[in-house]
Structure formats: C-alpha cells, structure tokens
Amino acid sequence: MPNLLSKYDTIVIGSGASGAVMAYELASKGMSVLVLEKGKRYLPNVDFEHNEMEMYAKLYKMSGLQTTKDNDVTIAQGQTVGGSTVINNAIWLRADLNKILPEWKAFGANIPQQTLINNYSFLEQKLKVKKIDPNIANAGSQIFLDACQRLNIPAEFLTHNRESCLGCGWCNYGCKYNRKTSMLVTFIPWAEAKGATVLDEVTTCVVTNKNGKANGVSFMRRGIPHLIASDKVVLCAGAIGSTEVLLKSNINPTGNVGKGLHLLGGVLVNAIMPRPVHSYDKIGLSCIAHAHKDYLIETFHSPPGVFSLNIGAWYKEHHDLMMKYTHMIQAGVMTASDPTGTITLDKKERPVINFKFSKNNLVNIKRGIQTLTGIFLEAGAEQVLPASFKKISIGNHGEMTNIDKFIQKNDDITLGSAHPQGGNRMSDDPSKGAVNSQFEVHGLKNLFVADTSVWPSNLWANCQATAMAMSKYAATFVSV
Ligand SMILES: Cc1cc2nc3c(=O)[nH]c(=O)nc-3n(C[C@H](O)[C@H](O)[C@H](O)COP(=O)(O)OP(=O)(O)OC[C@H]3O[C@@H](n4cnc5c(N)ncnc54)[C@H](O)[C@@H]3O)c2cc1C
Ligand code: SF4
C-alpha cells in the first residue's frame, strides 16, 4: 500500500481510457492525483495467460457476464488497472465529428471540433497508431476483403494502437507481450512517473460533498475503510460504472443521472469455409466494410470458448460445428441504439441496466446480417451462422429469408456490446443532462464526469479514441 496523502488536488475514479489520460494530464500540470480503480493491477508477462476462462475472471467486469436486465444483451467492459483498453482489440477510429458534434450540440453539449482533432493527433502519436499490417491479420481478413471488392462494397484494413505486434490473437485477454499500447503500459505508468498514485482493488467508492461542493471520496480497500479529501473528483468509471458511483453517492440533483444509456452493439456472424482457414491465428478485429450508414460490419475471430457460445446449436450438432472451427471465419454487425436505456440500483445497490434494442435497431441488424451473409457466400462459405440461441443457418441466397423468419425479437439472436455510452449525458440545460459542457455535474461543484457516459448520442464508431480525446479536453476544466 503506497503512503497516501490526507488530501489530493484531484481524485480520479477509474483507470481506463478516460481515467488514465485524465490522471496523466492533471499530473503533468503538477497536480497531486490519486486514481482509484476497482479491478486488480496485473503484470502482463506474469499474469496474462492464453486461457479464456482464467482471463475473463481476472480482467472483465462480472467475469464477462454483465447483461441487461432481460439478459438479452451482454455488455462487455474491463475491470482492471487500464480498464477496457487492457482487453480491447486496439482498433483506433476517429469519430465522424461532422455528424456527431451537431447532434450533441442540439442536445446542449458544446464540444470544440478542432480541440478533439488535435487531441486525436496527440494520442495517435503517443500510442503509435498506424494502419494494420496485413501480415498480422487473421486469414479470414483477406478472404473478406476480396469478397467485398467483387461485390463493390468499400472495405479496408483498420488502424490500431499496437507496436511490433506478434499477431498471437489474444488481445481480448490482455497482451502478455506489451505490444498493445493499452493504458496499463502507457498513460498509467506515465501518470505515475509524473507523481500520480494508483490504487487498485478499491470498492464501494462514494463521493462526499459539503456546501454544494464535492470534497473527497470514501472507499474500502482490502477490508480497510478510507476517507480521502480532495479539491476535485473526476468520475472515469465508464458508462454504467460512473452512474453507479453517482447513484450510490446519492448525487442526482437534476434527476438525469442514470438516463439516456445507449449502445453500439449487435451480433457476430460465423461462416464455414470449404477448407481450413485457421482464422483463429493472428489478430481478430482487422477490417471494416462501409456497406451502409445504418450498420457497421467489422471482421473478427474469437478463441474457441467464446466462439462456442456464438454457434447456435446444441449437443452433437454443436460439437460437429465446433469440429469445423479451423474452417470458420467470423465478422460482426453493429448498429447504434437511441439513448433509451436507464440504470438504477436494486435493493443491494447493484446496477440494473434497463435497455432494449428497438424494432428499428433490430431491422438494421438484420439488414447488416443479410449484407454480411452475402459477403461470406461470395467468399465461398458453405454455411453462414448468425450467433443465436437456436441454430440459424444460411447455405445459399435462397435461404436469406431465414434471417427474417427466425429473427423476430431481440432474444432470437445473441446480442452484445463492448461500447456502452450515455447514462450521465452532457447538456448545458440541467433539465436534460447530468453534466454541463465543462463536464461538471449540474448542481454540485468540483465533481466531473469524463468518460463515455457523458456522450449525448451514439458515436457510431469504436469508442476508445474518442474516450481518450474527450478526457484530455475535460482535463482542461478540472485543472483550472
Ligand atoms: C472486449 C472489448 C473490446 C473492445 N475493443 C475496442 C477496440 O478495438 N477499439 C475501440 O475503440 N474500443 C474498443 N472497446 C471499447 C473501449 O475500450 C471503451 O469504449 C473505452 O475503454 C471506454 O473508456 P472508459 O474510460 O469510459 O471506460 P473503461 O476503459 O472501461 O474504464 C473504466 C474503469 O473504471 C473502473 N471502475 C468502474 N467502476 C468503478 C468504481 N466504482 N470504483 C473504481 N473503479 C471503477 C473499471 O474497473 C474500469 O477499469 C472494447 C471494449 C471491450 C470490452
Ligand atoms: S495480437 Fe499483438 S497486441 Fe494482441 S495480444 Fe498478441 S502480441 Fe499482443
């Protein structure tokens, strides 16, 4: 346990994409910073193993089992020092700011476009962002790109934040070799080098306040209660996590905390090729197809455990499909939901996520599955299998009707999201939002929220780049 000060300039709750960048920015300005992280800190080369079950338990929130109240949508988030960046796919996408920022402005959130662009550039240089080298992409990637080209669907390799990647393909379980420039090996140690203190295994964080100002955080660590004072508190506990801390702290002055959750999410689709492709080898998420404005298609490949959960069949049929694992290629379809979800606390103060993809969202996902199925059939797939509870199989264009026939409601397919957003949305109008355009909670001074939970509408892109760029911008208000 490091020696703690009795008071800090700022306490940051959460050490993921937004928390690590926030800690670095504040410490760089000479502020005393304490970072409180719920998850444990691991040593990549010692603790990270090529073992799905072990790593889910170590690195994922609720061991990967966080779902919406109706269990229809799995929401994956990291819970470790470095947050979701430790388990993410290192895909780096700038958002389409020309589309997003006017939507945010209409809701009352004013974010300067040029500042975000400058922040993206700064982060890209720091995190070694570049185009993915096809030599480290899984074999399904080129098959996918070739089929897209024949169908005149624009598609390309993505950009990523990795350096000298070995292409082992285990990015979702922590990079053992420190080749992914996650927060664990970049902004967290850089913040510490500038004087920040990072405490892991911290539970039950409650923000304290007096006279309308946040003034510290109480928490437990390894069974010992702590109360540390600070001039400012910044919540970077991620969508759902930051809402949970606010609600547990009884902070909801405008009634908008826990409202407006939205997801970028969808479904994985698997295809059986006529010959072994060994697509599990090398990195999973590698390419994007710009097929339609209403859905995103990105290639992927899961290790066998997760893969087996996404093949909708049972017993012998499931076994027979898994025996074709070496022949499989995979991609995902995602769409952006409206901000209709809510987060509340149950009697035991656990978060309850009330969220449903709308009928319109489901239509977009189905159209995306249809397009992706067309790409896989063009690539020569023998069978295409959207992730589902009961097996849905499409072997030719005539069987495309199976998509509408068998997918009629959310739980007919296996829905998931790794990109939760909203819940504490930003608007200068206190009747609409939980924080203002300076990231400060309405009605309580010196308390800020700087993670994806403040985004008023969906980013329509993988979130880490914008989470970091927004947090760097938020730090300019915290450090005043
Ligand atoms: C499997 C997976 C793959 C992904 N792949 C990509 C990708 O390739 N590209 C991309 O752009 N995005 C990707 N993402 C999403 C991206 O990583 C996140 O959007 C981003 O990290 C969000 O940043 P954040 O700071 O809001 O939250 P996080 O990075 O999730 O950090 C929040 C941190 O707060 C901690 N916390 C929560 N509650 C508390 C509490 N009460 N007290 C203390 N600490 C708390 C959590 O443990 C966590 O460490 C992926 C996500 C997942 C889960
Ligand atoms: S594929 Fe590259 S970044 Fe991912 S875990 Fe392996 S070495 Fe690390």
Side-chain angles (χ1 to χ4, degrees):
M1 173 86 167
N3 286 331
L4 296 180
L5 305 176
S6 57
K7 186 175 179 199
Y8 286 82
D9 291 330
T10 307
I11 296 177
V12 178
I13 300 180
S15 67
S18 57
V21 170
M22 175 63 66
Y24 172 82
E25 287 294 314
L26 301 181
S28 299
K29 291 189 167 82
M31 296 174 74
S32 58
V33 179
L34 175 64
V35 180
L36 302 177
E37 167 56 50
K38 195 175 202 171
K40 195 170 171 176
R41 187 172 194 151
Y42 290 104
L43 284 175
N45 56 347
V46 177
D47 299 316
F48 292 171
E49 295 167 50
H50 291 186
N51 179 328
E52 290 173 82
M53 296 308 127
E54 286 269 338
M55 298 318 296
Y56 262 104
K58 279 183 173 167
L59 300 179
Y60 281 68
K61 187 175 181 183
M62 299 177 74
S63 302
L65 297 175
Q66 176 174 253
T67 63
T68 50
K69 189 180 176 189
D70 60 9
N71 296 320
D72 278 354
V73 188
T74 306
I75 303 177
Q77 289 182 293
Q79 185 174 291
T80 180
V81 170
S84 301
T85 71
V86 175
I87 53 166
N88 78 15
N89 298 291
I91 294 307
W92 187 270
L93 273 175
R94 291 187 181 200
D96 179 355
L97 298 180
N98 289 325
K99 168 178 160 35
I100 301 306
L101 294 185
E103 284 176 19
W104 291 8
K105 191 169 184 174
F107 190 71
N110 290 292
I111 302 293
Q113 180 157 354
Q114 192 54 48
T115 305
L116 283 193
I117 292 170
N118 295 346
N119 290 356
Y120 283 139
S121 301
F122 167 85
L123 292 157
E124 285 160 6
Q125 187 260 325
K126 286 280 206 192
L127 298 177
K128 318 279 186 208
V129 172
K130 58 183 92 61
K131 195 99 170 165
I132 290 174
D133 174 354
N135 289 318
I136 56 162
N138 72 68
S141 313
Q142 199 55 53
I143 295 172
F144 175 87
L145 289 179
D146 290 345
C148 285
Q149 191 179 24
R150 291 196 294 275
L151 293 170
N152 285 323
I153 296 173
E156 59 180 332
F157 280 105
L158 286 152
T159 48
H160 67 154
N161 56 303
R162 294 182 179 91
E163 180 73 339
S164 307
C165 168
L166 304 171
C168 72
W170 281 87
C171 315
N172 289 139
Y173 309 93
C175 178
K176 197 175 172 56
Y177 313 106
N178 289 343
R179 308 304 167 103
K180 179 167 71 170
T181 53
S182 78
M183 297 296 99
L184 175 62
V185 296
T186 57
F187 278 91
I188 285 292
W190 298 342
E192 288 172 317
K194 300 216 175 262
T197 300
V198 179
L199 273 192
D200 66 348
E201 296 187 87
V202 163
T203 58
T204 51
C205 278
V206 169
V207 179
T208 57
N209 64 87
K210 196 173 176 190
N211 301 330
K213 288 181 181 174
N215 64 357
V217 180
S218 71
F219 58 92
M220 298 285 289
R221 185 166 191 262
R222 298 179 184 165
I224 298 170
H226 297 264
L227 173 60
I228 308 271
S230 66
D231 287 332
K232 301 197 176 149
V233 177
V234 190
L235 296 182
C236 293
I240 304 160
S242 284
T243 303
E244 184 185 347
V245 174
L246 286 169
L247 294 177
K248 280 186 176 160
S249 307
N250 279 319
I251 296 171
N252 190 3
T254 59
N256 289 316
V257 171
K259 290 186 181 161
L261 177 78
H262 45 103
L263 303 183
L264 176 68
V267 65
L268 290 170
V269 179
N270 313 296
I272 305 175
M273 302 303 286
R275 58 183 170 77
V277 183
H278 303 289
S279 227
Y280 51 82
D281 199 13
K282 307 192 177 173
I283 62 173
L285 211 175
S286 51
C287 301
I288 186 165
H290 308 282
H292 198 277
K293 68 172 181 48
D294 290 339
Y295 49 82
L296 302 175
I297 295 177
E298 293 177 355
T299 58
F300 194 59
H301 208 89
S302 332
V306 171
F307 207 103
S308 72
L309 297 174
N310 285 296
I311 292 282
W314 296 87
Y315 305 110
K316 183 166 186 317
E317 199 176 19
H318 185 267
H319 171 267
D320 291 346
L321 283 173
M322 282 308 291
M323 291 305 284
K324 297 194 171 156
Y325 182 58
T326 53
H327 291 54
M328 300 267 193
I329 60 175
Q330 193 180 54
V333 174
M334 293 193 290
T335 196
S337 83
D338 294 327
T340 52
T342 62
I343 301 150
T344 52
L345 297 182
D346 68 10
K347 282 182 189 158
K348 291 187 174 170
E349 297 216 315
R350 294 170 302 198
V352 178
I353 305 165
N354 294 285
F355 173 86
K356 273 195 181 302
F357 280 111
S358 68
K359 277 189 181 152
N360 199 27
N361 296 153
L362 194 60
V363 168
N364 289 342
I365 291 170
K366 287 200 279 186
R367 296 295 71 84
I369 294 173
Q370 198 168 12
T371 303
L372 180 51
T373 302
I375 294 170
F376 282 154
L377 291 177
E378 173 63 31
E382 291 175 342
Q383 255 187 85
V384 180
L385 305 145
S388 56
F389 187 67
K390 291 182 196 154
K391 184 176 156 195
I392 302 170
S393 169
I394 304 141
N396 54 55
H397 284 275
E399 289 175 359
M400 285 277 197
T401 49
N402 284 351
I403 296 170
D404 281 324
K405 186 170 158 195
F406 293 114
I407 307 174
Q408 297 191 359
K409 54 187 189 316
N410 280 346
D411 73 353
D412 290 331
I413 44 176
T414 309
L415 292 165
S417 169
H419 304 284
Q421 304 156 52
N424 309 311
R425 291 194 297 159
M426 177 184 283
S427 171
D428 287 326
D429 179 350
S431 70
K432 286 160 93 181
V435 302
N436 62 25
S437 293
Q438 289 75 45
F439 298 82
E440 198 169 27
V441 173
H442 282 299
L444 193 65
K445 289 272 166 222
N446 298 344
L447 176 60
F448 300 81
V449 186
D451 52 31
T452 63
S453 72
V454 304
W455 301 353
S457 67
N458 207 275
L459 202 68
W460 275 100
N462 309 39
C463 295
Q464 67 162 347
T466 308
M468 293 179 209
M470 283 283 280
S471 183
K472 182 168 161 54
Y473 173 54
T476 61
F477 299 105
V478 181
S479 60
V480 170

